Amino acid sequence: MKRFQGKKILITGGSQGIGRACADLFADEGAEVWFNYSRDEQAAHRVEKAIAARDGRARALQADLGVPRQVESLWSEVSSGGNPDILILNAAFQKKATLDDTDMDLLRRTFEVNVFGNFQLARLFLHGRRREGGKGNLVIHSSNQSEFVHANGFAYGLSKAALNHMVRHLAAAAVRDGVRVNGVLLGWFDTEGERKVMSAAAIREQAAHGIPMGRAGDPREAARLTLFLASEDSSYMTGSLLRCDGGFALDPDLGT
């Protein structure tokens, strides 16, 4: 029996990177996967087709998580045939900028997606699970930047620090309902997003010097930890923040 047979899951930002790795892994474990994407419709359809080719089930829906009415529409569509059992909050907005280069528009946009949109979906998920008798799993993808001062990540770092505390608050509010809430502190991963600004060779070279394990992460490594937190293998865990960063926190190179 596949571990998530009969389970319904919503993954935000599932068309590429860690979100796509999660969609692939959960689908292969039998879940009915729904995922949102913000802009790249072709990439989203490629994920759907790839999962279908392996006899999995996946459906992509477009939504900007920084726009409340689009979040409401996304949830209404996903929950129309029954509320999801699992919610993976993976999508994030990031524009690199120092404190001096961060204006109110950038700070607002970052929080609209990374904090407000995630809160809105988490709240809808918890209410849905309560209506169906409780039990469920929520996993939030945070970042090492929530804890370390990265000069070019002011707005992003603030938003991820807020997510860390949101994990704890949501876990405390939902524990008696049988809903577990956990988070992942992600390090540097070799994803499509990173390759838009750096070549594969540049990623390898910088990771070799800046990451104790000497490499950037594979998105599937983050997906496997996410699956663990959403599964019964972690049944006695809630309110936890687990680190997946190749040892970066042991010796953070803040110049990278």
Side-chain angles (χ1 to χ4, degrees), residues 122-171:
R123 192 167 182 267
L124 290 166
F125 174 74
L126 293 180
H127 288 174
R129 295 316 309 153
R130 285 168 179 160
R131 285 194 298 271
E132 296 190 0
K135 291 194 176 181
N137 279 288
L138 169 54
V139 182
I140 296 178
H141 285 168
S142 185
S143 167
N144 267 343
Q145 291 193 47
S146 66
E147 297 184 336
F148 302 111
V149 177
H150 193 296
N152 288 323
F154 176 73
Y156 183 75
L158 262 61
S159 71
K160 290 297 186 174
L163 280 187
N164 292 357
H165 211 45
M166 189 186 297
V167 167
R168 302 182 184 99
H169 272 281
L170 292 172

Side-chain angles (χ1 to χ4, degrees), residues 196-208:
K196 289 178 181 178
V197 295
M198 297 181 72
S199 68
I203 290 173
R204 285 194 301 271
E205 181 179 356
Q206 187 163 313

Side-chain angles (χ1 to χ4, degrees), residues 32-71:
E32 175 190 344
V33 174
W34 295 65
F35 67 93
N36 101 291
Y37 66 96
S38 177
R39 295 180 300 276
D40 196 337
E41 184 176 8
Q42 291 185 344
H45 289 330
R46 285 196 294 270
V47 176
E48 286 180 319
K49 291 178 181 178
I51 290 174
R54 302 194 305 273
D55 296 323
R57 295 172 295 166
R59 182 175 175 188
L61 296 172
Q62 192 279 330
D64 183 334
L65 299 188
V67 181
R69 66 178 182 276
Q70 292 191 30
V71 175

Side-chain angles (χ1 to χ4, degrees), residues 198-234:
M198 297 181 72
S199 68
I203 290 173
R204 285 194 301 271
E205 181 179 356
Q206 187 163 313
H209 295 93
I211 306 295
M213 288 184 69
R215 63 177 178 85
D218 184 310
R220 291 170 293 186
E221 293 174 303
R224 287 194 290 269
L225 179 55
T226 302
L227 186 140
F228 165 74
L229 290 173
S231 75
E232 287 305 302
D233 291 338
S234 62

